[in-house]
C-alpha cells in the first residue's frame, strides 16, 4: 500500500510541474500578444484609413461591394480611407467591422 501512495504522489507532483509549464507558456503568449498589439497601435487617423484600405485590398473587395455591405457610399469610403476624421465615427466602426478590423482604445 505504501508503494501506491508513493506512485500517486509522484504522479501528482508530475502533474503539478506540467501545470506550471502550461501556466508559464500562457503568460509568455499573453506577453507576446501584448507586444504585437502595441506594435500595431495607430497614432494618427490617417494611418487607420490606410490600414482599412489595405485590408480591403487584401480581401479583394472593391468599393462597390463594400458600399453594398456597409451602406456607406463610395465617395464616403474614399474620404474614410484618406482621413477617417472626415466621416462619422459610426461609419468608421461599420466599415472596420465589415473588413474584420478590430478597433480598441489605447490604454
Amino acid at each position: 500500500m505504501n508503494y501506491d501512495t508513493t506512485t500517486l504522489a509522484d504522479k501528482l507532483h508530475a502533474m503539478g510541474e506540467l501545470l506550471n509549464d502550461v501556466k508559464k507558456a500562457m503568460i509568455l503568449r499573453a506577453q507576446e500578444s501584448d507586444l504585437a498589439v502595441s506594435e500595431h497601435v495607430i497614432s494618427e487617423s490617417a494611418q487607420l484609413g490606410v490600414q482599412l484600405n489595405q485590408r480591403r485590398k487584401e480581401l479583394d473587395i472593391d468599393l462597390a461591394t463594400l458600399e453594398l455591405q456597409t451602406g456607406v457610399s463610395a465617395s464616403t469610403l474614399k474620404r474614410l480611407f484618406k482621413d477617417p476624421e472626415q466621416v462619422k465615427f459610426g461609419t468608421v466602426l461599420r466599415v472596420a467591422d465589415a473588413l474584420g478590423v478590430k478597433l480598441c482604445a489605447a490604454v
Side-chain angles (χ1 to χ4, degrees), residues 61 64-72 94 98-99:
I61 299 175
T65 302
L66 189 57
E67 181 178 15
L68 289 173
Q69 288 177 333
T70 61
V72 177
R94 193 172 344 147
L99 296 174

Short mmCIF file of all heavy atoms in Angstrom, two decimals, residues 61 64-72 94 98-99:
data_model
loop_
_atom_site.label_atom_id
_atom_site.label_comp_id
_atom_site.label_asym_id
_atom_site.label_seq_id
_atom_site.Cartn_x
_atom_site.Cartn_y
_atom_site.Cartn_z
N ILE A 61 -11.84 43.24 -52.04
CA ILE A 61 -13.20 43.79 -52.04
C ILE A 61 -13.15 45.15 -52.73
O ILE A 61 -12.42 46.04 -52.30
CB ILE A 61 -13.73 43.97 -50.60
CG1 ILE A 61 -13.78 42.63 -49.88
CG2 ILE A 61 -15.09 44.65 -50.61
CD1 ILE A 61 -14.17 42.72 -48.42
N ALA A 64 -17.52 49.15 -54.68
CA ALA A 64 -18.95 48.92 -54.90
C ALA A 64 -19.47 47.81 -53.97
O ALA A 64 -20.56 47.94 -53.40
CB ALA A 64 -19.20 48.57 -56.35
N THR A 65 -18.69 46.76 -53.82
CA THR A 65 -19.10 45.66 -52.95
C THR A 65 -19.12 46.11 -51.49
O THR A 65 -20.05 45.81 -50.74
CB THR A 65 -18.15 44.45 -53.12
OG1 THR A 65 -18.16 44.05 -54.49
CG2 THR A 65 -18.56 43.30 -52.24
N LEU A 66 -18.09 46.86 -51.08
CA LEU A 66 -18.05 47.36 -49.71
C LEU A 66 -19.20 48.33 -49.47
O LEU A 66 -19.78 48.35 -48.38
CB LEU A 66 -16.70 48.03 -49.43
CG LEU A 66 -16.42 48.42 -47.99
CD1 LEU A 66 -16.51 47.21 -47.06
CD2 LEU A 66 -15.05 49.08 -47.87
N GLU A 67 -19.55 49.09 -50.49
CA GLU A 67 -20.69 50.01 -50.38
C GLU A 67 -21.97 49.21 -50.12
O GLU A 67 -22.78 49.58 -49.25
CB GLU A 67 -20.81 50.82 -51.68
CG GLU A 67 -21.94 51.82 -51.68
CD GLU A 67 -21.97 52.64 -52.98
OE1 GLU A 67 -21.32 52.25 -53.97
OE2 GLU A 67 -22.66 53.67 -52.98
N LEU A 68 -22.15 48.11 -50.83
CA LEU A 68 -23.34 47.28 -50.63
C LEU A 68 -23.34 46.62 -49.24
O LEU A 68 -24.38 46.51 -48.61
CB LEU A 68 -23.43 46.20 -51.71
CG LEU A 68 -23.77 46.69 -53.11
CD1 LEU A 68 -23.65 45.55 -54.12
CD2 LEU A 68 -25.19 47.26 -53.14
N GLN A 69 -22.17 46.21 -48.78
CA GLN A 69 -22.08 45.53 -47.49
C GLN A 69 -22.34 46.47 -46.32
O GLN A 69 -22.91 46.07 -45.31
CB GLN A 69 -20.68 44.91 -47.31
CG GLN A 69 -20.42 43.70 -48.16
CD GLN A 69 -19.00 43.19 -47.98
OE1 GLN A 69 -18.09 43.93 -47.66
NE2 GLN A 69 -18.82 41.90 -48.21
N THR A 70 -21.91 47.70 -46.46
CA THR A 70 -21.97 48.62 -45.32
C THR A 70 -23.06 49.67 -45.43
O THR A 70 -23.42 50.29 -44.42
CB THR A 70 -20.62 49.36 -45.17
OG1 THR A 70 -20.36 50.11 -46.35
CG2 THR A 70 -19.49 48.38 -44.89
N GLY A 71 -23.54 49.92 -46.63
CA GLY A 71 -24.50 51.00 -46.82
C GLY A 71 -23.84 52.37 -46.84
O GLY A 71 -24.51 53.40 -46.77
N VAL A 72 -22.52 52.40 -46.94
CA VAL A 72 -21.75 53.65 -46.97
C VAL A 72 -21.38 53.93 -48.43
O VAL A 72 -20.87 53.06 -49.12
CB VAL A 72 -20.46 53.52 -46.11
CG1 VAL A 72 -19.62 54.78 -46.20
CG2 VAL A 72 -20.82 53.20 -44.66
N ARG A 94 -18.52 50.77 -38.67
CA ARG A 94 -19.25 49.87 -39.58
C ARG A 94 -18.31 49.30 -40.65
O ARG A 94 -18.34 48.10 -40.94
CB ARG A 94 -20.39 50.63 -40.24
CG ARG A 94 -21.38 49.75 -40.93
CD ARG A 94 -22.63 50.46 -41.42
NE ARG A 94 -22.81 51.76 -40.80
CZ ARG A 94 -23.36 52.80 -41.41
NH1 ARG A 94 -23.79 52.69 -42.64
NH2 ARG A 94 -23.51 53.95 -40.80
N ALA A 98 -17.00 45.40 -41.10
CA ALA A 98 -17.18 44.69 -42.37
C ALA A 98 -15.87 44.11 -42.89
O ALA A 98 -15.84 43.06 -43.53
CB ALA A 98 -17.80 45.61 -43.41
N LEU A 99 -14.76 44.80 -42.59
CA LEU A 99 -13.45 44.35 -43.05
C LEU A 99 -12.76 43.43 -42.05
O LEU A 99 -11.66 42.95 -42.30
CB LEU A 99 -12.56 45.56 -43.35
CG LEU A 99 -13.04 46.45 -44.50
CD1 LEU A 99 -12.16 47.69 -44.60
CD2 LEU A 99 -13.04 45.68 -45.81
#
